[in-house]
Every structure is written in C-alpha cells, then in structure tokens.
Amino acid sequence: MSKFIKIYEDKPSEAAIKKVVDVLRNGGLVIYPTDTVYGLGCDITNSRALEKIAKIKGVKLEKANFSFICSDLSNISDYIKQIDTSTFKILKRALPGPYTFILPGNNDLPKQFRKKKTVGIRVPANNIALEIVKMLGNPIVSTSIYDEDEVLEYSTDPELIFEKWQNKVDLVIDGGYGDNVASTIIDLSGYEPEIIREGKGDVDIF
C-alpha cells in the first residue's frame, strides 16, 4: 500500500525526510515535488528500482533520458567528466534552479547508463528534494509525471497525483501544489550552450 505524506517545503521535517529515504533505500519509487513539476524518482544505485521506473515509462532503461537530481555542484562532479571554467560558471549561476543541464557523463555512472555519452543533471530549488538527496547520500534518478489529460500536461495537485499513482509507486509526498511548467533543458556537452527545451527558468542568463 502506497504512503501519502505531507512535508512543508519551508521547513522539511527530518523524520518525514527519513521515511522517504528509507523507501528509496529499499528500492521503492517516490513521487516528490521540485521547483517545477512533480517528479517520479528512485535511488540511482538500485538497479531493480531503475528497471521499475523504465517499465512505467515504457522505455528500455539504457535508452531512457532520466535526470539525476543532485543536492549541489560537488554531487554533480561524481558523474560527469571534468568541465571547463565557463561551464562551471553557468552551473553556479543557474543552480539551484529550474534547469536541466545535459553534460558529458563519466565512467562512474551506474552501469545501466554507461552507454550514454551524456546525462541530464538537476539541482532543483526545492528544499524537500534537496534534503532527500542529502540524506540519501547520492542522486535520485528522476522523470516527470505526465497527465493523460491532453489539456493538463502535468498533474499539480498532490492528492490527485496520489489517487492516480498509488498502485504504481511506494510513496507520494504532498509538498503543496506543483508547477505545470517543466524545466528548461540546456545542452552543455558541446562548444556552445544549446537550449533544447524552453520551460521554466530565464534563458537569457545563457
């Protein structure tokens, strides 16, 4: 039976965060708030959980474009190749924030992702997401949860999200209403920053 727990973003309760982390460590799937849309995530080190998310999304795991939710820039460097100063400055200026950056992955990526040359990295400006990753000690692999209703691209009401997803995931966090605009995606793996998708977040800073 899926759990539904309320966590306040301005002051996330340590006990509540621990409950989420325990679910993740046990290979569970969690729906949690970010600074954009609600995300579906699991522990990056748990291959069984990664397979479950890929199955829900209807994709092969090695081909899936999942994001890595990190807690800060040092967390990011565990999984990407050495970056130059200008790339680092862009990341420092934009994060935490509503951006997904595509960066060249290194050999420390989980084996399921090693065939991919790049990874999508996020550090969301949301205390709940950041505290979960900090306590977990490694990134969450994450993907957006779409709504089948064509008018509503993303679900924003946690109670409705729980109603719809409770049979597929182990825990849903009620962190208040989510946004319905996804993150801006910027590819930093080439010579120049390239905007792949314009979403929430100012693109003029690039």
Side-chain angles (χ1 to χ4, degrees):
M1 184 62 195
S2 185
K3 295 177 185 145
F4 185 60
I5 64 171
K6 174 85 185 160
I7 303 180
Y8 294 95
E9 205 232 321
D10 52 354
K11 207 167 189 276
S13 134
E14 200 175 317
I17 296 290
K18 186 177 183 310
K19 279 182 190 162
V20 180
V21 168
D22 287 346
V23 169
L24 289 167
R25 284 199 179 123
N26 288 321
L29 305 189
V30 168
I31 290 178
Y32 66 99
T34 71
D35 51 356
T36 58
V37 297
Y38 266 79
L40 164 65
C42 73
D43 183 341
I44 195 171
T45 63
N46 192 301
S47 45
R48 202 176 77 246
L50 292 170
E51 291 287 357
K52 280 197 271 187
I53 286 193
K55 196 174 171 199
I56 285 175
K57 295 295 274 191
V59 290
K60 282 199 160 66
L61 184 53
E62 54 277 10
K63 293 208 166 94
N65 288 321
F66 294 147
S67 302
F68 293 3
I69 306 289
C70 299
S71 57
D72 55 30
L73 288 179
S74 62
N75 208 202
I76 290 175
S77 59
D78 294 344
Y79 296 100
I80 60 168
K81 287 182 177 159
Q82 191 76 37
I83 52 175
D84 59 30
T85 315
S86 61
T87 304
F88 182 76
K89 279 184 179 159
I90 289 173
L91 296 176
K92 207 163 165 46
R93 193 164 62 227
L95 297 174
Y99 302 97
T100 300
F101 288 106
I102 296 171
L103 293 156
N106 67 17
N107 294 333
D108 292 328
L109 285 170
K111 61 180 186 298
Q112 294 89 342
F113 300 111
R114 284 203 199 129
K115 285 189 182 140
K116 293 175 79 69
K117 291 188 167 59
T118 57
V119 290
I121 298 283
R122 285 211 65 201
V123 181
N126 178 289
N127 288 331
I128 298 169
L130 296 180
E131 289 303 321
I132 291 167
V133 176
K134 275 182 206 158
M135 195 183 281
L136 182 64
N138 51 258
I140 299 173
V141 166
S142 183
T143 181
S144 305
I145 55 166
Y146 285 95
D147 205 298
E148 263 78 70
D149 184 332
E150 282 169 25
V151 183
L152 293 167
E153 208 177 341
Y154 298 102
S155 302
T156 58
D157 180 338
E159 287 187 12
L160 294 178
I161 292 171
F162 180 66
E163 229 168 83
K164 186 179 155 196
W165 284 83
Q166 60 183 324
N167 297 325
K168 293 182 186 169
V169 302
D170 301 278
L171 185 145
V172 175
I173 296 171
D174 174 359
Y177 273 86
D179 207 323
N180 61 354
V181 181
S183 63
T184 290
I185 301 177
I186 294 147
D187 189 343
L188 295 179
S189 64
Y191 293 109
E192 290 285 323
E194 186 189 345
I195 294 161
I196 306 292
R197 175 181 78 193
E198 206 168 320
K200 194 176 172 185
D202 183 7
V203 292
D204 294 341
I205 66 170
F206 309 105

